[in-house]
Amino acid sequence: MKGEPSMVTKRTLYSWVLAKNLRWQILLVFLVLLTVAARVVPLEMQKRIINNAIGMGQEGLLLLYCLFFIGSVLLASSLKFAINLLQAYIGQKTLQRMRAELYDHILSLPLSFFRTIQPGQVVNSLINELATISGFVGSAISVPLIPGMELS
């Protein structure tokens, strides 16, 4: 048995967010910052396309600004996709660790526990009840951060 059995139930939800996920969460924050910066570029490019390129009649500048615009939109979309993948990865790896620790905890319980509870309840807690938590763990840092960064 790994560690003290009661520690599984005494940990906070945010301990799962940061425990063994700190480097992935830092990478996620970095990707969010890049995404927010990449979302600002198309807005600036629209202004420059209208004011500078079209307003001054410069076709070469129009082409350059349009390429920057398209490139920044593609970059922002790619970064958002990478954020979604990383959130899913963090959530699934945490779910795997949570299930392993809960399984170890269940194995350490006395036999009298299994006489009073139905086996389906134990299996349900291992499979279904932890699945929703994995979604939270993957997005707990980045989801609140994105709107906050877009407002500033």
Side-chain angles (χ1 to χ4, degrees), residues 136-152:
F136 170 77
V137 169
S139 61
I141 303 248
S142 62
V143 167
L145 185 65
I146 291 171
M149 292 302 299
E150 288 177 346
L151 285 175
S152 59

Side-chain angles (χ1 to χ4, degrees), residues 119-141:
Q121 288 178 312
V122 176
V123 173
N124 184 46
S125 66
L126 268 173
I127 296 172
N128 296 329
E129 293 181 17
L130 292 179
T132 55
I133 295 172
S134 72
F136 170 77
V137 169
S139 61
I141 303 248

